[in-house]
Amino acid sequence: MIQTLPQGFQMRHPMMDDLKAVHTVITTSDLAYHGSADITLDDLRTDWLSPTFNMLKDAWLITGPAGQVVGYASTGQQEHARIYSEILVLPEYSHLGLQDYLLAQVEQWAQEQVPQARPDARVALSCFIAQGDEQSALSLQRHGFKEIRRSWNMEITMNEAPAAPEWPAGITVRTFRPGDERVVFDTDEEAFQDHWGHMPGNFERWMHWTVERENFDPTLWFLAYEGDQIAGVSLCAYRDELGWVDTLAVLRPWRRAGLGKALLQHSFGEFYRRGTRTVGLGVDAQNLTGATRLYERVGMHVVRVYINYEKELRAGVELSTQEIVS
């Protein structure tokens, strides 16, 4: 593990002027390992402007001899117990050990979170990397990380109009209206309590990432009701030309009745009506509610794989969801 950077390389915190250069590092890595990009420039800008992110403390970049950005790392946390990170180095520089140097900064940041966590809480640092990024995997393993989970991006390409949804009896669906913010957030939170790794969300941060975004389209947010009770949601958006299901959530009383499938097909149908033929989403590969089986049944397939590595920083009570509790 390198203790100093190679000659001519420097590390510093990013500034907004670095946005495009860092985005290039991310998309170049995506293209190398997946064949397509997974994050837009607007996504990165939204991340940097998040109320819970401080780029002068929570992120680092490495520049090469010509001043070009060649590596990037960022961090975040939930309740100072679940700490997550991203570390990326341009493939042509991946043999120089820059990942180790960035990971050392991330670990130092993470250790500073430990005393701020609940005294009895387990504290762990996780990092998602692309399948096939062998240098990053070796770096994480050298630092004592172990693979614990995988997640998938799945897609469907529609050559013809998708099947019309079959709504369960008593269900009606409508699009988002101003004033729905809290009920949608609460529905998302309640449904995802049954998803591995879930921690309580932050309403301010959720608003920043959703309703307050410049490209927010309320006509792509679908809310399913039985009477005056919300039963589930499908919250969609565009990622450049790709249709994207950001959140598909069904509350427990309405599960296993076909509502998730109907919401998904309704979303596909709206994208198709707008001329969008490919729709994607992200999912935990070992999803506790069986979502991956639903996605496969409606014709979706895996297009990329991410591997989650984790390192325990302090033993204790696990605060995040690990299994569904009746």
Side-chain angles (χ1 to χ4, degrees):
M1 293 182 283
I2 66 170
Q3 303 300 316
T4 58
L5 287 169
Q7 185 175 0
F9 290 80
Q10 296 182 342
M11 187 192 73
R12 61 175 172 83
H13 294 294
M15 301 177 291
M16 285 305 297
D17 288 347
D18 298 309
L19 185 71
K20 289 185 178 179
V22 170
H23 182 249
T24 296
V25 171
I26 297 170
T27 56
T28 301
S29 298
D30 273 346
L31 290 169
Y33 301 116
H34 298 299
S36 62
D38 188 42
I39 182 172
T40 67
L41 187 66
D42 182 64
D43 288 334
L44 184 60
R45 181 185 295 107
T46 302
D47 189 24
W48 282 11
L49 294 175
S50 170
T52 58
F53 182 75
N54 183 341
M55 70 172 68
L56 298 180
K57 294 182 178 180
D58 305 339
W60 304 262
L61 56 79
I62 292 177
T63 57
Q68 75 279 28
V69 178
V70 301
Y72 173 71
S74 66
T75 54
Q77 55 80 22
Q78 291 176 284
E79 298 188 24
H80 306 285
R82 186 171 177 81
I83 305 167
Y84 45 89
S85 62
E86 176 183 37
I87 298 171
L88 294 164
V89 173
L90 288 174
E92 60 264 38
Y93 294 93
S94 64
H95 64 288
L96 298 177
L98 304 181
Q99 297 93 331
D100 290 304
Y101 199 83
L102 287 167
L103 186 52
Q105 311 306 313
V106 167
E107 288 202 70
Q108 181 179 337
W109 187 96
Q111 288 292 349
E112 294 169 359
Q113 306 302 310
V114 177
Q116 301 180 65
R118 204 176 82 182
D120 63 338
R122 176 178 182 264
V123 182
L125 169 61
S126 66
C127 184
F128 278 90
I129 66 168
Q131 184 181 46
D133 186 355
E134 296 180 1
Q135 292 298 330
S136 290
L138 290 171
S139 173
L140 289 164
Q141 291 162 14
R142 285 194 293 268
H143 284 252
F145 287 72
K146 296 181 180 179
E147 178 185 338
I148 60 163
R149 206 81 176 178
R150 296 194 173 202
S151 64
W152 296 340
N153 279 13
M154 301 182 73
E155 289 182 3
I156 182 172
T157 298
M158 300 172 286
N159 298 316
E160 57 185 24
E166 297 180 9
W167 298 104
I171 293 292
T172 59
V173 64
R174 66 169 175 84
T175 55
F176 176 90
R177 301 168 186 161
D180 287 332
E181 293 86 353
R182 177 56 71 168
V183 71
V184 173
F185 174 79
D186 290 345
T187 300
D188 187 357
E189 281 291 292
E190 182 178 340
F192 276 84
Q193 287 176 7
D194 291 334
H195 287 244
W196 182 90
H198 175 76
M199 295 276 285
N202 177 296
F203 181 68
E204 183 184 16
R205 185 176 190 276
W206 180 85
M207 286 286 290
H208 172 79
W209 270 100
T210 57
V211 178
E212 294 174 353
R213 292 185 71 166
E214 185 177 342
N215 61 355
F216 172 62
D217 183 351
T219 66
L220 281 173
W221 275 27
F222 307 111
L223 284 57
Y225 279 83
E226 183 173 5
D228 61 356
Q229 288 187 292
I230 193 165
V233 297
S234 178
L235 312 180
C236 304
Y238 277 98
R239 284 191 174 185
D240 290 331
E241 301 303 313
L242 179 71
W244 192 258
V245 182
D246 274 319
T247 300
L248 181 70
V250 175
L251 298 181
R252 281 190 180 188
W254 291 274
R255 289 181 189 164
R256 306 193 185 287
L259 179 56
K261 181 180 179 181
L263 278 166
L264 198 56
Q265 290 177 320
H266 183 76
S267 304
F268 291 168
E270 179 58 23
F271 278 121
Y272 188 89
R273 188 187 69 80
R274 297 183 183 204
T276 301
R277 297 295 181 259
T278 302
V279 181
L281 52 73
V283 62
D284 173 17
Q286 297 138 280
N287 182 276
L288 299 177
T289 63
T292 55
R293 295 190 293 275
L294 165 62
Y295 302 153
E296 288 168 346
R297 286 200 302 271
V298 297
M300 305 191 83
H301 62 279
V302 177
V303 294
R304 64 173 68 201
V305 178
Y306 293 101
I307 305 173
N308 185 9
Y309 282 85
E310 184 185 82
K311 182 177 182 178
E312 184 175 85
L313 304 182
R314 187 181 77 186
V317 177
E318 177 59 57
L319 301 184
S320 69
T321 300
Q322 299 294 298
E323 59 185 15
I324 296 178
V325 179
S326 314

